[in-house]
Amino acid sequence: MSAAVQEAGGYNFAYLDEATKRMIRRAILKGLAIPGHQIPFGAREMPLPYGWGTGGIQVTASVLGPRDRLKVIDQGADDTTNAVSIRRFFQRVAGVKVTTRTAEATVIQTRHRIPERPLTEGQVLVFQVPMPEPLFRLEPRLAETRRLHALGDYSLAQLRLYEDIARQGETGSSYNHPVMVNGRYLMSPSPIPGYDNPKLHRSAAILLFGAGREKKIYAVPPWTEVSSLDFDDHPFRPMLAAAPCAFCGSRDSYKDEIVSDDRGGRVFVCSDTDHCRENQR
Amino acid sequence: MYVAVKGGDAAIEAAHRWLAHERRGDTALPEITAAQLREQMALAVDRVMAEGSCLDRDLAALALKQSRGDAVEAAFLLRAYRNTLPRFMAAEPLDTGAMQARRRISATYKDLPGGQVLGPTFDYTHRLLDFALAAEGAALPAPEEDAEGTGPMPQVTGFLAGEGLMREEVPEEGGAPPDLTREPPSFPASRPLRLQALARGDEGFLLGLGYSTQRGYGNAHPFVAELRVGEVEVLVEPPELGFAISIGEVTVTECQMATQFAGSREEPPQFTRGYGLIPGQNERKAMAMALVDRALMARELGEEATAPAQDEEFVLLHSDNVEATGFVEHLKLPHHVDFQSELEKLRSIRRRWEAERIAARKEAAE
Amino acid sequence: MKPGFHDPVLDAQACFRAAMEAMARPGRVQEIVPPEGIPNALDPAAAALLLTLVDADTPFWTDAGEETRGWIAFHCGAPLVPPGDAAFAVVTGALPPLSLFREGTDEAPQDGTTVILQLRHLVPGEGWRLLGPGIETEHRLRVDGLPEGFATSWDARRAAFPRGVDLFLCAGTRFAALPRTVRIEEHG
């Protein structure tokens, strides 16, 4: 028995059995070789519910090793309940070192945000993905979307974008706005705010995406061209609250809007808690 | 000044302690045992076992106790446990024809070889609350034993097949059936894959879909050729032995529905079979499964497929309650980052809309 | 037969991370901790990749002899198949034409074969100029032991994208990867 098996309290290191890890690892490698293409994989039933990060958890579990330092964020924060729960899961089943500091982390699992601090070469960012198919609101049938991806036919998405602009003067999606990867595949960036989309472009880190319930894995290698779907005369314009952070004063970070009283009072604070903490020093 | 909310860790710990307390309920009352659930809440246990895809009534009972009686949560516990078990081999197909049936009825024949066996059923009970059950320790009338036991019970669909009136089932090519717990489903799906998904699908979802086929959404005119409940042996054939050995028996419910098929250029008019097989005793679900199985055969039979129950992507991707509950309930997770983007987006669109209206009014006034 | 990895769980994890880095950063040379008791025909890097990625679910093909086939069958449990059906191929001699391997379909390009190829030398910092996803400006890699005209034929095959094969180039305990997206310039 591997020493790692005993350490994890009866379960294999990082919970998944080795055959499952191999299957996921093969999918990750093919994902990197075909940037933005969704690889079907035999997602397992995890001890956390589908839709709560099981895809990200399976990817992280297949990547993680004893030399890693793991950071888990949800909505940009380390102390949101689901982030706490997932971090505890990995501490329990992998005995892995954890951190809340973006700069120290080697593997970061995230839901709905990309950290503000630019990621570096030694880092892997693992996204939890609820709906990997960027076309699902336009075409719910998987057999059909698979065909459209094969043809590189994204006219449905472009048409929707055109209609939004014609009707309301701007794109309809403020988060989970689809991106083109390396000029070939339309990809869901997961429900990150549009503000984070540009961080996908030529990132120094490896970006991995796991969708457990939908049983798909995809990836973006470092330095890959990633562009938000838009038109030349209507470039993609991410939304950002204009107010500075009430804690650190930052104007260019993504904010949470907090309702502070029932008379319309509002406070804006950084969504990325580590970034805010660093700014306050 | 605003102070950020912290302490997710402490909140989770406290919530779990509270949950354990609620689960136990009033401590003045004796704690229920998993064995009591297994014996006295047998149908709830069977449902959990079937939807949890783990044929162990003791574990299903434990899961039901842990989940405070929430069947879907219990199925989820069982699935997550099952996923950690080693896999040794696939069993031989169950021989339901050799079943020791406790219950066996056919709606298509008045009498038939092996007979109609009503067995332990709610059918023909009057649904009046039995207040005697509120008092414990009531004497139990002994069930009447059939001294002769049941003889062999050949399957009803076999009689029709003998006459050439039941469509022949041709085994799928390509050896071992697919395993949707290991491989993601792909579409179009084979019938073994569909049956697998339906067998562990949500009872309520299948019931509604099956019902819809009776109401014109799918054009089915089904007959219950046979419904049987009982124990069957599970056989495996280890490669080193070269012959099959029994590893125990399981209770299953099997339903075979006969539906007329108008025929095509290649195939004569005949009956087709909708098939339902559910671990444990669950006639409602076995029947619903048979109805949906038949509806999903539309493509193979060249029938027009317009109803929800005939749409295999729709049925198979939404029948799993562990997947469904996870995604529906994930809406409870914080979404304030995406909501914030949505808020800013709405404010921006709204400003533009108002500006345009003012401009339009001005124009009209001039 | 001796065990492959000293620690099957953690050594496989370390090797996978190296493989992931290799595939994410084409042409960057990675180093592995060599497994024990490997057949003479296999480089430690190729053996480590096999132990990490190949199992009963991945049919494989190799040009290597009985000893290597037996070792792969024992350690990985992978069935031996013709090259056109292989998920993984291990090439220890001369590289056959890549068209021998499967390249997947436009709907399932991930079915393209992963070819593990053994070479004499991998020298970073000189030789080929590599461009494409995973590469900030350019990566340099000199590869000794590939057939004449490899770079030209590789480039011709890129037109089939997303279909294609992906390569791991192994030499001793070192390896690098060429995913199907990489562009190779021989003289730059």
Side-chain angles (χ1 to χ4, degrees), chain B residues 7-269:
Chain B
D9 237 324
I12 289 174
E13 288 284 351
H16 291 177
R17 279 196 303 273
W18 196 347
L19 172 66
H21 209 78
E22 294 270 301
R23 176 188 299 127
R24 178 59 182 86
D26 184 352
T27 51
L29 295 171
E31 183 177 342
I32 200 165
T33 66
Q36 285 171 330
L37 289 171
R38 184 193 66 217
E39 297 303 316
Q40 298 175 48
M41 289 282 147
L43 298 186
V45 167
D46 279 359
R47 178 175 175 194
V48 168
M49 181 175 81
E51 290 171 17
S53 293
C54 183
L55 308 196
D56 187 315
R57 304 191 75 243
D58 288 302
L59 288 176
L62 174 63
L64 202 57
K65 176 176 174 177
Q66 188 178 332
S67 72
R68 308 178 64 200
D70 179 333
V72 177
E73 176 69 19
F76 178 19
L77 287 169
L78 217 47
R79 294 254 195 111
Y81 171 76
R82 171 194 195 278
N83 191 34
T84 65
L85 300 177
R87 302 164 66 79
F88 296 113
M89 59 187 83
E92 299 293 303
L94 298 180
D95 181 3
T96 51
M99 175 189 285
Q100 289 292 311
R102 275 181 282 144
R103 177 154 161 70
R104 188 264 195 135
I105 52 165
S106 169
T108 52
Y109 294 98
K110 184 167 189 209
D111 199 7
L112 66 166
Q116 306 260 17
V117 181
L118 200 53
T121 175
F122 293 124
D123 297 352
Y124 316 111
T125 61
H126 296 150
R127 269 62 169 207
L128 303 170
L129 271 180
D130 181 359
F131 293 101
L133 280 177
E136 286 161 40
L140 195 63
E144 278 179 38
E145 294 280 335
D146 187 342
E148 294 166 29
T150 54
M153 287 180 179
Q155 276 163 327
V156 172
T157 46
F159 310 153
L160 293 166
E163 217 181 315
L165 292 180
M166 177 56 80
R167 186 170 185 262
E168 199 187 343
E169 306 292 347
V170 185
E172 294 281 322
E173 285 174 23
D179 181 348
L180 61 78
T181 69
R182 315 299 286 182
E183 305 260 336
S186 64
F187 300 98
S190 65
R191 194 166 179 211
L193 184 76
R194 298 197 304 248
L195 289 170
Q196 213 174 103
L198 296 178
R200 63 188 222 147
D202 183 74
E203 178 181 321
F205 183 76
L206 292 190
L207 179 65
L209 279 175
Y211 177 46
S212 73
T213 67
Q214 292 178 280
R215 294 195 64 263
Y217 289 86
N219 197 28
H221 306 283
F223 294 94
V224 173
E226 187 173 357
L227 179 68
R228 53 169 76 193
V229 182
E231 283 64 46
V232 288
E233 265 195 316
V234 180
L235 301 173
V236 295
E237 189 177 321
E240 62 272 22
L241 278 185
F243 56 88
I245 52 168
S246 169
I247 56 167
E249 52 180 34
V250 290
T251 305
V252 296
T253 306
E254 183 190 57
C255 177
Q256 305 207 43
M257 295 256 193
T259 299
Q260 218 208 91
F261 167 56
S264 64
R265 193 182 288 267
E266 290 81 27
E267 291 195 75

Side-chain angles (χ1 to χ4, degrees), chain C residues 108-171:
Chain C
Q110 68 275 11
D111 291 345
T113 307
T114 303
V115 180
I116 299 170
L117 174 61
Q118 297 192 163
L119 298 162
R120 287 191 294 278
H121 297 292
L122 289 174
V123 186
E126 52 183 274
W128 285 343
R129 187 164 168 248
L130 303 177
L131 305 161
I135 299 168
E136 185 175 9
T137 48
E138 62 172 36
H139 286 169
R140 290 277 183 161
L141 183 68
R142 185 160 65 81
V143 176
D144 289 351
L146 278 174
E148 196 71 24
F150 171 83
T152 318
S153 66
W154 177 265
D155 235 41
R157 288 179 56 84
R158 286 185 52 249
F161 188 84
R163 287 173 284 124
V165 299
D166 307 301
L167 298 187
F168 281 112
L169 311 174
C170 303

Side-chain angles (χ1 to χ4, degrees), chain A residues 59-75:
Chain A
V59 169
T60 298
S62 304
V63 164
L64 211 56
R67 282 202 292 265
D68 280 310
R69 197 173 273 277
L70 176 70
K71 173 180 165 84
V72 183
I73 50 172
D74 188 332
Q75 315 296 299

Side-chain angles (χ1 to χ4, degrees), chain A residues 239-276:
Chain A
M239 291 285 154
L240 188 64
C245 172
F247 292 144
C248 74
S250 168
R251 285 195 170 273
D252 55 1
S253 67
Y254 191 80
K255 308 294 187 315
D256 293 340
E257 178 175 330
I258 316 261
V259 176
S260 55
D261 55 44
D262 56 4
R263 298 179 303 276
R266 290 198 296 265
V267 176
F268 290 85
V269 297
C270 289
S271 126
D272 183 335
T273 45
D274 177 61
H275 175 76
C276 193

Side-chain angles (χ1 to χ4, degrees), chain A residues 104-121:
Chain A
E104 282 179 0
T106 55
V107 177
I108 302 173
Q109 180 167 327
T110 182
R111 177 168 169 266
H112 296 191
R113 274 311 310 273
I114 297 176
E116 304 287 2
R117 169 190 267 275
L119 299 176
T120 58
E121 276 226 352

Side-chain angles (χ1 to χ4, degrees), chain A residues 15 42 44-45 50-52 75 79 88 111-112 141-143 168 170-171 174 193 213 215 254 257, chain B residues 9 13 79 83 182 311 313 323 326-327 330 334-338 340-342 345 347-348 352:
Chain A
Y15 182 78
R44 301 295 190 247
E45 263 138 352
Y50 280 126
W52 298 50
Q75 315 296 299
D79 58 354
R88 281 158 53 124
R111 177 168 169 266
H112 296 191
R141 270 158 223 288
L142 298 179
Q168 60 193 29
E170 55 190 87
T171 62
S174 54
R213 191 179 38 78
K215 303 174 178 58
Y254 191 80
E257 178 175 330
Chain B
D9 237 324
E13 288 284 351
R79 294 254 195 111
N83 191 34
R182 315 299 286 182
D311 182 334
E313 269 209 43
E323 289 178 5
F327 201 46
H330 108 284
H335 281 80
H336 54 255
V337 161
D338 21 339
Q340 179 62 29
S341 279
E342 199 80 336
K345 168 68 70 179
R347 284 172 182 150
S348 163
R352 183 175 284 111

